[in-house]
Amino acid sequence: ARDLAASGAALLDAPVSGGVRRAIDGSLSIMVGGSAADLERGRPIFSAMGKTITLCGPAGAGHALKALNNYLSAAGLVAMCEALVVGEAFGLDPGTMVDVFNSSTGKSNATEVKGRQFVVSRTFAAGFTAGLMAKDLRTAGDVATHLGLDMPGLKQSVGYWADAVGKLGSAADHTEIFRYAEMLADGGK
């Protein structure tokens, strides 16, 4: 951004969130890093793709917030999957569990958007790869490290997803993290 500014050009970093469905219908959430004036110049382009366009701070802030958002998403998905694995082992119906999560304090994006649709159905087709999730988690971890912050939960999440990608492959849908949770429950098999 500094190099471009010196030559009179502007840079906005603008990662997105919302998945395939929201990309298709133009309702993505776009996290923008850069100046407010440059965002306003680019807003017509962003508006064609996104419903929520948020200025997050200077250049780089969009990517930092995207990575931190995906940390929350990944952690919630793992928690739901592990709860489902334990519940199924206990004899609970996974669909019933997701319904209860969604009407209780366990409700999250994972339970609402991914629970029945991709995990309980075992279609694992949300359209975002485990490799991309692992990359975003590494980015979030790098941000914390760069700032000198020790975040044990974030470090564990980075490791969990890296190990999962090693077992599932980077092209696996991120909802296949459920299969990794099942492998761990069976002693890593």
Side-chain angles (χ1 to χ4, degrees):
R2 280 188 300 271
D3 291 348
L4 287 172
S7 67
L11 172 80
L12 295 171
D13 66 288
V16 301
S17 182
V20 174
R21 179 185 55 79
R22 288 179 57 194
I24 291 168
D25 72 14
S27 66
L28 290 167
S29 174
I30 303 174
M31 296 145 273
V32 181
S35 78
D38 292 333
L39 169 57
E40 289 313 310
R41 283 190 6 232
R43 189 172 293 279
I45 296 166
F46 294 132
S47 294
M49 298 178 281
K51 180 178 174 184
T52 305
I53 302 159
T54 305
L55 181 62
C56 302
H63 282 303
L65 189 50
K66 160 73 175 195
L68 293 168
N69 177 70
N70 277 7
Y71 165 47
L72 289 176
S73 177
L77 181 57
V78 166
M80 179 193 70
C81 289
E82 290 185 352
L84 289 171
V85 169
V86 172
E88 284 184 88
F90 186 80
L92 297 172
D93 175 74
T96 300
M97 286 190 290
V98 170
D99 291 345
V100 170
F101 299 155
N102 283 331
S103 66
S104 302
T105 59
K107 181 178 171 177
S108 68
N109 176 271
T111 63
E112 285 187 308
V113 177
K114 300 168 188 166
R116 276 189 174 274
Q117 299 87 324
F118 305 114
V119 176
V120 173
S121 69
R122 296 185 77 84
T123 58
F124 306 121
F128 187 72
T129 68
L132 287 174
M133 184 64 84
K135 176 210 44 100
D136 285 350
L137 290 168
R138 283 191 310 274
T139 299
D142 289 348
V143 170
T145 299
H146 176 75
L147 295 171
L149 302 172
D150 183 23
M151 299 282 100
L154 178 53
K155 284 181 185 175
Q156 288 174 343
S157 190
V158 169
Y160 190 98
W161 281 84
D163 291 344
V165 165
K167 294 277 188 187
L168 301 170
S170 63
D173 192 87
H174 76 293
T175 58
E176 289 185 68
I177 199 72
F178 178 76
R179 291 181 44 242
Y180 181 66
E182 289 179 316
M183 289 178 205
L184 292 176
D186 286 336
K189 300 173 189 159

